[in-house]
Amino acid sequence: MAKSLVIVESPAKARTIAGFLGERFVVESSIGHIRDLPKRASDVPAELKKDKRSREVARLGVDVENDFKPLYIVDEEKKSHITRLKALLKEADELLLATDEDREGEAIAWHLSEVLRPKVPVKRMVFHEITKKAIQHALDHPRDIDRHLVDAQEARRILDRLYGYEVSPVLWKKVMPGLSAGRVQSVATRVIVARERERIRFQSAKYWDINGNFLPDTPSSEAAHQKIEANLISVSGQRLATSKDFDDLGRLSKDVLLLDELQAKELKSALDHGTFQVRSVERKPYKRAPAAPFMTSTLQQESGRKLRFSSSRTMKAAQRLYESGYITYMRTDSTTLSDSALTAARSHIEGLYGAHYLPEQPRLYRKKVKNAQEAHEAIRPAGDSFRLPAEVAKEVGPDEAKLYELVWKRTVASQMKDAVGHRLQVRISGAIKRNGVPDSVEFSTSGLTITFPGFLRAYVEGSDDPEAELENRERPLPPVQEGESLAGQEFKPVLHETQPRARFTEASLVRRLEELGVGRPSTYASIISTILAREYAWKRGTALVPSFKAFAVITLLEQHFGGLVDYAFTARMEDQLDAIARGDEATVPWLRRFYFGGGLPANTNDGCQGDGQPTELGVFHGTSQGGESAVVSGAPQAAVSESRVSLDAGLRALVSSNLQAIDARAVNTIVLGEDKDGLAIQVRVGRKFGPYLVRGEDTAQIPEKMPPDELTLDKAIELLDAPSSDRQVGVDAESGLPVLLRTSQYGAYVQLGEKPEDGSKPKTASLFKSMDPAELTVEDALRLLSLPRAVGVAEDGEEILARNGKFGPYISKGKESRTLPSEESIFTVTVAEALELLSKAPTRRRRAAAEPLRELGEDTVSGQTITLRKGRFGPYVTDGETNASLRSSDDPDTLTQERAQELLQLRREAGPSKKRTKKAASKKKKTTTKKKASSKKDAVEATPVTKKKTSKKAATKKASKKKKASS
């Protein structure tokens, strides 16, 4: 009986769906993307790199001269798997493509249809949750592949490739190798750097206020023993300064009273003898509505706040929950709940909390974020009846259990009544005497009383601002009346210091990018992972701290590619991609305007306009398009504007015209200021050894993981003035030269004499691992400098030497060498011992097998335990028979059993590695084969290679050789 072949993206999703379908369906996985643009030059077949134009197409992966046709390459690992899918397709009567419902899923479905070339009907199954009802509905209502969604995804992919592959080489040449630029990645990095620039510019200010404790004077009062805590807010009718009254440079921006320590203490003494009464009691109703159900961005934010999960960890756990049928699709911009979900949530509320927690009508959340994508449903528990978190926790891993509980609580709370209560604002007036003169003061306090918790019974949304979160916590005040006398119990002067804006966390960065309309929430996790992998930022706790490398990259991009990192321009590109998805915009003309120029709507502002005046730190400040402060070091703003080429000219022209104009020294330099002698102190971002300080001829390495805002001018001077670890340990009596101890990036070493003027190298020797540089003596240093040591002469007349090498101590005789047992044996080994070592066969040092990093469960194919291990070329998984390396996108800390099984299965299907001999490899290079031209409309067609005619002479030689072989 013919069967229907259903193809999804992952084995986990395939297993879940297979459980809902009958025997008439074969459910298989594509194991992610089956083809993509080439990741590296070696992925492109040699016949596609025969001339200059073809090599350019191979480099970019896009034929920009031929309507931006992409060059798609099938992953080498996937070829055997595609063969298997084709075999299954031959036995099927229809092909059902059940990939995810977003643009990427649509593109995967299209790629599958293009590669498999089915001769049976092809249908597209779309669902937003993996439940029996949803799968059946998708089967009953299939559709065709939406070409507009595919075009939008392809346009995004090509745009990102052109951006990254054209701009990244500029960073390699002008900053350092191994860097990357990206349409969203670079803007996100700029947001992080802009916040750090604000912190660098920030100057703290100090101010004092006074906390007071009061008790009602009337013994019969209900609040007689309930203390009231309040803060002093005014003296003599003039308001006291608070943190909000200071600007970023520590200056008061309003006419307020600023207390110093002496004034605060004097005022405290006066308050101790003052009289107080309640001046006013203001009561206001309080109502708080629940937050909307999760969409992708809010899930990442809340998971970061409450669970301390990174965005990547959150999305991986959500992916596993979705594929196993526990939650709805986790890549969504919508906050809408289906009717069945509303019914399920209300049923839970009534059963768990009571009917009085249910609003009369279901709450509808229809507000969508800027640049929202498809109208999916919100992220919620899957099905028409939600499973309780305790039940799910028994079936999933710890990350999945925590995330499911978060989704469940948020969904249920979104359908509960408001929390209600009242706020109380109490003002306390006081009469005091200061230096014998009557004066007045005023204190203030507020409280919150919740009379009905509503949704708070189930869930409380977190906040990036701790102070804002505190305002919503219940804090009841004792009942007091206007005019009631109060006794001052204790007054305490408190010193405050203004703080700079907090650095971005992953959660707050996601929120900021969403506000700017930059990128898609579904891509934020991978973008942040890339920023961390490129070391543009590192984490201090949960805060993202930008590196000096990031400062250099962003300075270069702002000064020379300002339009590409402009917030508004990047957001507008998302709008234009949405227009392509709707069919309102054509892909090719849009890409042509971006790459070759011709009026792509964009703000050509370089994003860094300011007054061009240097500040105390020697940098230039301004405000970016998105409202973030910007600081650019180096040339004045006028020079920046002159070096910038309008984005209207197109990306290609922008890169070529700017490359020669970029001053690498300028973009890699941050001016901190001058020392007392007027010498400039700068930070330089080195290509090899990282950031360092420069002052004239003096240099000093910047400590690793030092945040840029902590490298003040004083700190820089301290580092530059710190004594060097280099020292003279003594003098060589024989040569009269000083014996010096030096330190390099590879460790401590000794050197005989300074470097000669003729440029020759002085003699050096590395310290033994057992030696402490601080305790090194001149005798130890001279012993090291005496190496290699002549042990003696062998019978054949060759000299035997004892040496200390890169891999430890050893002896050598000609081309032969053997390892010595210890460093000290270099000085003690005898000729006889050396000859005995040389007479033995060389042994290769092997490391003991390392313990597995962790166990991941039993493999369903081999039945063996899958372990995660660290290998020479990186982490890998193994079942004892098959080894599979992790991909760059796999995080060893969050790798699951399902993903490990996917990797192992791919490795098994690829078969054993084929070892090529040099002869075979050489033969392969010389052989040219005719490659079939692809008939795909939207991919680059391979040009057939014309075979060279064989001369008669060569043919005769070939025939002669063949004849000899046969005889």
Side-chain angles (χ1 to χ4, degrees), residues 82-93:
I82 290 171
T83 302
R84 183 167 180 270
L85 292 176
K86 285 182 176 180
L88 291 171
L89 187 57
K90 286 181 181 178
E91 301 174 2
D93 60 354

Side-chain angles (χ1 to χ4, degrees), residues 404-472:
Y404 179 84
E405 183 178 22
L406 197 65
V407 171
W408 184 91
K409 286 182 175 180
R410 177 86 164 218
T411 306
V412 170
S414 72
Q415 293 305 312
M416 296 175 72
K417 282 185 175 180
D418 293 343
V420 295
H422 60 264
R423 287 190 182 278
L424 210 61
Q425 181 80 34
V426 177
R427 295 291 177 92
I428 300 168
S429 60
I432 61 172
K433 286 188 177 182
R434 299 174 66 187
N435 300 321
V437 178
D439 205 346
S440 64
V441 295
E442 187 173 0
F443 286 79
S444 177
T445 187
S446 61
L448 171 63
T449 301
I450 304 293
T451 56
F452 177 69
F455 75 92
L456 296 177
R457 281 287 306 276
Y459 180 82
V460 181
E461 185 182 27
S463 171
D464 295 320
D465 182 359
E467 291 186 5
E469 193 169 0
L470 284 172
E471 288 180 5
N472 288 310

Side-chain angles (χ1 to χ4, degrees), residues 84 402 456 461 613 744 756 781 889:
R84 183 167 180 270
K402 291 175 183 176
L456 296 177
E461 185 182 27
Q613 298 301 312
S744 74
S889 58

Side-chain angles (χ1 to χ4, degrees), residues 788-794 796-801 803 812-814 838:
R789 169 179 166 252
V791 178
V793 180
D796 58 4
E798 283 196 274
E799 189 176 30
I800 302 172
L801 298 173
R803 303 172 181 269
S812 66
K813 182 175 81 73
L838 290 165

Side-chain angles (χ1 to χ4, degrees), residues 16-321:
T16 307
I17 292 176
F20 298 127
L21 299 175
E23 295 181 357
R24 201 179 69 78
F25 295 88
V26 176
V27 186
E28 267 297 332
S29 163
S30 67
I31 315 183
H33 288 272
I34 58 170
R35 66 176 186 175
D36 196 2
L37 301 178
K39 296 178 182 177
R40 56 192 73 85
S42 58
D43 292 341
V44 182
E47 58 266 27
L48 295 184
K49 297 185 285 187
K50 63 186 185 304
D51 54 38
K52 184 177 180 181
R53 181 173 178 274
S54 298
R55 287 193 293 273
E56 180 65 8
V57 172
R59 180 184 76 84
L60 290 174
V62 180
D63 190 348
V64 297
E65 304 290 348
N66 190 16
D67 287 343
F68 295 89
K69 288 184 179 177
L71 173 62
Y72 288 121
I73 301 294
V74 175
D75 193 326
E76 194 66 33
E77 292 180 333
K78 298 291 179 68
K79 288 182 178 179
S80 59
H81 190 65
I82 290 171
T83 302
R84 183 167 180 270
L85 292 176
K86 285 182 176 180
L88 291 171
L89 187 57
K90 286 181 181 178
E91 301 174 2
D93 60 354
E94 68 173 346
L95 174 61
L96 299 172
L97 299 172
T99 50
D100 291 340
E101 60 177 331
D102 59 4
R103 293 174 189 170
E104 188 172 1
E106 204 73 20
I108 292 174
W110 176 77
H111 281 293
L112 281 166
S113 67
E114 289 293 312
V115 172
L116 298 179
R117 299 193 180 282
K119 296 179 181 178
V120 296
V122 180
K123 298 176 182 176
R124 179 83 168 94
M125 282 178 63
V126 177
F127 44 85
H128 67 275
E129 61 181 345
I130 304 178
T131 60
K132 188 170 184 177
K133 182 179 178 181
I135 299 302
Q136 188 59 52
H137 184 272
L139 280 172
D140 296 339
H141 301 84
R143 62 167 173 80
D144 294 330
I145 292 173
D146 188 332
R147 189 53 207 238
H148 291 316
L149 292 181
V150 175
D151 288 345
Q153 177 64 23
E154 195 168 61
R156 178 189 298 274
R157 188 75 182 90
I158 293 171
L159 171 70
D160 289 342
R161 171 56 65 98
L162 295 175
Y163 188 121
Y165 275 47
E166 292 286 19
V167 181
S168 295
V170 178
L171 302 182
W172 304 343
K173 294 173 183 176
K174 300 299 182 178
V175 182
M176 65 178 65
L179 302 180
S180 66
R183 179 176 57 91
V184 181
Q185 172 204 138
S186 296
V187 173
T189 304
R190 184 186 175 201
V191 170
I192 298 171
V193 169
R195 179 59 57 85
E196 194 72 8
R197 287 168 171 168
E198 290 181 24
R199 293 174 63 87
I200 291 171
R201 184 174 66 246
F202 180 83
Q203 295 181 29
S204 64
K206 295 179 180 180
Y207 63 96
W208 289 78
D209 67 8
I210 297 176
N211 292 341
N213 291 328
F214 303 89
L215 283 175
D217 258 349
T218 310
S220 60
S221 169
E222 294 179 23
H225 302 291
Q226 297 183 40
K227 184 172 63 175
I228 301 174
E229 296 181 5
N231 295 325
L232 181 67
I233 61 169
S234 71
V235 178
S236 304
Q238 187 175 17
R239 184 171 66 82
L240 257 62
T242 66
S243 61
K244 295 178 181 179
D245 298 318
F246 295 89
D247 62 17
D248 284 350
L249 297 179
R251 300 171 301 200
L252 274 175
S253 56
K254 296 180 180 178
D255 183 20
V256 292
L257 176 62
L258 178 62
L259 295 180
D260 59 24
E261 183 177 9
L262 180 61
Q263 291 171 322
K265 288 181 177 179
E266 289 177 348
L267 193 56
K268 185 263 182 194
S269 299
L271 289 168
D272 287 337
H273 302 92
T275 59
F276 306 93
Q277 68 174 7
V278 177
R279 186 176 72 81
S280 66
V281 178
E282 189 177 0
R283 186 188 184 97
K284 291 183 178 180
Y286 168 83
K287 180 184 285 189
R288 183 179 176 187
F294 282 131
M295 53 187 177
T296 304
S297 60
T298 53
L299 177 66
Q300 292 179 35
Q301 293 171 50
E302 196 72 344
S303 175
R305 297 185 196 109
K306 290 190 178 296
L307 304 181
R308 299 293 181 182
F309 284 6
S310 66
S311 295
S312 175
R313 186 177 176 185
T314 298
M315 293 307 291
K316 286 177 180 177
Q319 179 86 32
R320 294 191 287 271
L321 286 171

Side-chain angles (χ1 to χ4, degrees), residues 726-844:
D726 296 354
R727 63 185 175 89
Q728 181 175 322
V729 296
V731 177
D732 176 27
E734 186 177 334
S735 64
L737 294 174
V739 179
L740 307 171
L741 174 67
R742 294 281 168 87
T743 305
S744 74
Q745 59 169 324
Y746 303 109
Y749 66 97
V750 289
Q751 177 178 307
L752 184 61
E754 297 286 356
K755 188 175 181 179
E757 293 182 3
D758 60 6
S760 59
K761 293 183 178 180
K763 187 165 187 179
T764 60
S766 298
L767 268 63
F768 287 168
K769 293 179 181 177
S770 57
M771 291 180 172
D772 182 357
E775 299 177 0
L776 188 76
T777 64
V778 66
E779 291 77 14
D780 294 331
L782 290 172
R783 287 179 77 204
L784 294 172
L785 289 166
S786 69
L787 297 178
R789 169 179 166 252
V791 178
V793 180
E795 293 178 359
D796 58 4
E798 283 196 274
E799 189 176 30
I800 302 172
L801 298 173
R803 303 172 181 269
N804 188 29
K806 181 180 179 181
F807 302 105
Y810 69 101
I811 55 169
S812 66
K813 182 175 81 73
K815 294 184 178 180
E816 289 189 84
S817 63
R818 299 291 185 274
T819 301
L820 286 170
S822 67
E823 291 173 322
E824 194 57 37
S825 60
I826 296 175
F827 298 107
T828 60
V829 65
T830 63
V831 176
E833 291 170 338
L835 290 172
E836 184 181 353
L837 283 172
L838 290 165
S839 66
K840 297 178 181 178
T843 57
R844 185 178 176 183

